[in-house]
Amino acid sequence: QVQLVESGGGSVQAGDSLRLSCAASGRTFSAYVMAWFRQAPGKEREFVAGINRSNSNTNYADSVKGRFTISRDNAKNTVYLQMNSLKPEDTAVYYCAARQDIRVLTTTRYHYWGQGTQVTVSS
């Protein structure tokens, strides 16, 4: 069982940066592929970024490539999402997800989810 708690969301202006954090409980954090998803009002939850267990491979949605960076610190049981050059269309609730697997999935087939943190970007 893994519990995920996101933090770091907020309201910013276009062009600003935010860093989201997701703290995981348990002693087997390094066994999980981690990912960030987001869901805007009236839209389906979509994949944003994912990272494999060893921090050696990442995957990004085209809409955030070059602006967002996912990383993890297995010693701290934490995964991060650095978001730069934010745009109004990045406004959404951002969710952290975990999957006991070796590959990053871009679908929502993850085993554990956090409660989400709101990111609002105004123009």
Side-chain angles (χ1 to χ4, degrees):
Q1 189 79 9
V2 175
Q3 292 186 326
L4 305 173
V5 179
E6 302 99 333
S7 61
S11 296
V12 297
Q13 298 287 323
D16 286 350
S17 298
L18 277 175
R19 188 175 84 152
L20 305 183
S21 298
C22 172
S25 65
R27 295 176 293 177
T28 59
F29 177 72
S30 60
Y32 291 87
V33 166
M34 301 299 297
W36 288 95
F37 286 76
R38 66 187 182 187
Q39 189 166 18
K43 295 188 176 181
E44 293 188 352
R45 192 168 297 189
E46 64 175 0
F47 174 82
V48 174
I51 189 165
N52 69 347
R53 299 182 300 183
S54 62
N55 213 0
S56 62
N57 186 51
T58 57
N59 194 354
Y60 296 94
D62 288 343
S63 59
V64 306
K65 279 181 182 176
R67 299 189 298 122
F68 290 11
T69 302
I70 188 171
S71 62
R72 66 189 295 163
D73 186 336
N74 287 343
K76 295 182 178 180
N77 284 11
T78 302
V79 62
Y80 305 97
L81 185 68
Q82 178 66 43
M83 306 186 294
N84 298 331
S85 302
L86 282 161
K87 304 176 180 180
E89 51 263 44
D90 295 319
T91 296
V93 177
Y94 283 72
Y95 296 91
C96 175
R99 177 179 174 87
Q100 196 163 11
D101 201 342
I102 60 172
R103 296 182 303 167
V104 172
L105 297 184
T106 60
T107 68
T108 56
R109 291 170 58 191
Y110 281 71
H111 302 131
Y112 303 102
W113 293 86
Q115 82 290 348
T117 186
Q118 176 70 46
V119 172
T120 302
V121 184
S122 57
S123 57

